[in-house]
Amino acid sequence: MADTRMPTATYICPQDGSRAGSTTLTWCCPACGGPWDLDTGALPPVRLDSLGGRVNSLWRYEEALPLSGPAVSLGEGRTPLVPLTGQVSAKLDFLMPTLSFKDRGAVMLAELARRLSPDRVVADSSGNAGTAVAAYCARAGLPCTVYVPEGTSPKKTGQIRAHGARLVTVPGDREATAAAARAAAGAPGTFYASHVFNPYFLHGTKTYVYEIWEELGGTLPDAIAVPVGNGTLLLGAALATAELLAHGLIDRRPALIAVQAEAVSPLAAAFRAGAEELSGVPDRARPTLAEGIAIPRPPRARQILAAVRESGGTFLTVTEDQIRAAQEDLAARGFFVETTGVACWAAVGGVTDRSVVVPLCGAGLKTGLAP
C-alpha cells in the first residue's frame, strides 16, 4: 500500500544553517537563496543479508531512504554492472525506465510531490532530468511543466511531450533555462522538482552506490568515476559512501573521480587551483558534445569540490575528440550511449592500476552519434 505520511526529514542550508520542514514548497534557503541539504536524523544500516527477496528496484534500500512505501515507482534501479576491461566496469544506468540515471532522483521528487499535493510541478533540464520528472509526474497524476534550453535534442523533448508534460523552450543556455524555471517556481502552489536544489534527488542518486556495493558482495571498487555538471550523481555517491562507512559496512571510501568536458570545466579548474568555490567563471558555457554536464555555475560547487577532496579523488577533463572516440568505442563493444554518458569512459577507460566503476548514464537514442 502506498504510504501517505508526510515526510519528517528537515531541510537545512549548508551555508548558514537555516532550517525548514520538508513539507514546505519553499525550494531554496530563504536567507541565502542556496540549495537545501536534508537532515534525516540517524538512518539505520542496510544489511547485506537482509536484501534477499526484497523488491527489485532502488526501493529495496528502504532503510537508507527518506521516504518509503512509494506509489509512483516504475521499477527504477538495479541496473547491471558489466566488466569492460580487467579493471573498469560499467553500470548500465541507460537501462532505466526513461533511459537515464536521472530516474533515481526523479522518483523521489515525484513521490514527495505526491504527498504534498501541489497545484503544479515545475522542472528545468537539458533533457534527461526533465524527461524523468515528466514520466514520474505522469505516474503520480501530477500536472508538470518542463523548461528546456533551445537546442535540446528533439528526441528528448519528444519524450517529455509523450509523458504529457507541458514543454517550455527557453532562448539561451542552461543557465537561462534554470532562471526561467525558478521564476515560475515562485508561484503559489508550485512544487519545484529541482534535481539541483532539492536534496531528495540526491538521496535517490545515492542508490547507485548501494547497488554497486550489493553487486560486489558488500565491497566497493577503488574508485567511482562520475560525470559532473550540477554534481547530483557525485553528491549522491558521497552520501552513500559516507553512510556505508559510518555503519561499518565498508572499511574505506573509494576515491571519487569527477569528469568534466574540457570545454566547460569550472569545477576542474577550481580543484586544480586549490579553491573551495568557483571564481571568474564566464556566464555562458562553450559548446560541447557533453551537453548534460555543460554547467558553468553549479549551485552546489562548494559541496562538490569538498566531496572529491574528502574522498581522495580528483577531477579529469576530456576533449570533444575523446568524447567522440569513446562513444564509438563503446558502441563497438555493444553499448550505444549518449555523448554525456561516455565522458567517464573517455577519462578512465585505460586505467590498469585500480578498480573503477563508470556509469553509462544515458542511452544513445537520446542524442544519436556525435557529429
Side-chain angles (χ1 to χ4, degrees):
M1 180 179 294
D3 198 330
T4 58
R5 291 175 295 176
M6 290 293 105
T8 58
T10 302
Y11 290 139
I12 180 169
C13 175
Q15 296 297 321
D16 60 32
S18 298
R19 286 181 172 267
S22 60
T23 57
T24 181
L25 294 179
T26 302
W27 55 267
C28 67
C29 172
C32 71
W36 293 118
D37 279 351
L38 195 65
D39 182 356
T40 61
L43 295 171
V46 177
R47 299 293 181 187
L48 195 64
D49 59 8
S50 73
L51 295 175
R54 290 196 182 184
V55 61
N56 193 35
S57 75
L58 62 80
W59 294 97
R60 67 197 281 105
Y61 311 110
E62 59 183 351
E63 297 95 330
L65 297 175
L67 297 171
S68 62
V72 298
S73 176
L74 293 168
E76 56 288 329
R78 296 286 284 161
T79 55
L81 185 65
V82 178
L84 292 177
T85 70
Q87 294 292 347
V88 181
S89 295
K91 187 133 173 66
L92 310 188
D93 261 25
F94 67 87
L95 298 180
M96 293 286 225
T98 75
L99 308 182
S100 93
F101 87 93
K102 294 291 176 63
D103 290 5
R104 294 185 183 276
V107 68
M108 299 296 292
L109 296 184
E111 180 62 28
L112 175 62
R114 179 186 71 82
R115 299 185 195 197
L116 302 183
S117 300
D119 296 330
R120 69 196 64 82
V121 174
V122 167
D124 60 281
S125 170
S126 60
N128 285 341
T131 297
V133 170
Y136 285 93
C137 281
R139 183 73 164 175
L142 295 167
C144 178
T145 299
V146 179
Y147 290 75
V148 299
E150 60 183 358
T152 300
S153 165
K155 296 177 181 179
K156 292 180 180 180
T157 57
Q159 274 189 289
I160 292 168
R161 288 193 179 97
H163 292 304
R166 175 174 169 254
L167 185 74
V168 178
T169 301
V170 179
D173 61 9
R174 185 67 183 81
E175 296 290 303
T177 303
R182 291 167 195 165
T190 302
F191 179 88
Y192 182 28
S194 172
H195 57 294
V196 181
F197 279 77
N198 193 304
Y200 277 86
F201 195 94
L202 305 181
H203 283 266
T205 61
K206 77 181 181 184
T207 60
Y208 173 84
V209 168
Y210 274 93
E211 290 178 16
I212 296 171
W213 169 77
E214 182 183 1
E215 180 73 15
L216 296 180
T219 63
L220 287 173
D222 298 323
I224 296 173
V226 290
V228 174
N230 278 309
T232 55
L233 185 54
L234 183 136
L235 291 172
L239 273 174
T241 56
E243 290 169 4
L244 289 167
L245 186 65
H247 290 307
L249 297 173
I250 54 174
D251 58 11
R252 53 160 185 80
R253 294 179 71 170
L256 297 176
I257 300 174
V259 180
Q260 295 205 286
E262 187 177 276
V264 188
S265 52
L267 290 162
F271 182 86
R272 291 165 184 163
E276 295 182 355
E277 56 188 32
L278 302 183
S279 63
V281 178
D283 291 333
R284 291 187 175 274
R286 292 164 56 195
T288 175
L289 293 168
E291 62 181 11
I293 53 174
I295 310 295
R297 297 179 181 275
R300 294 187 183 269
R302 176 181 284 268
Q303 290 176 284
I304 296 165
L305 291 164
V308 173
R309 289 193 173 104
E310 288 168 9
S311 76
T314 191
F315 274 82
L316 299 175
T317 60
V318 291
T319 67
E320 301 303 290
D321 285 344
Q322 287 176 309
I323 292 170
R324 289 187 185 91
Q327 188 185 41
E328 292 173 1
D329 181 69
L330 282 170
R333 296 168 185 262
F335 303 108
F336 186 28
V337 182
E338 69 171 327
T339 45
T340 299
V342 306
C344 290
W345 176 243
V348 304
V351 165
T352 58
D353 62 344
R354 56 179 169 169
S355 58
V356 185
V357 171
V358 301
L360 304 186
C361 45
L365 293 174
K366 287 175 169 281
T367 56
L369 281 170

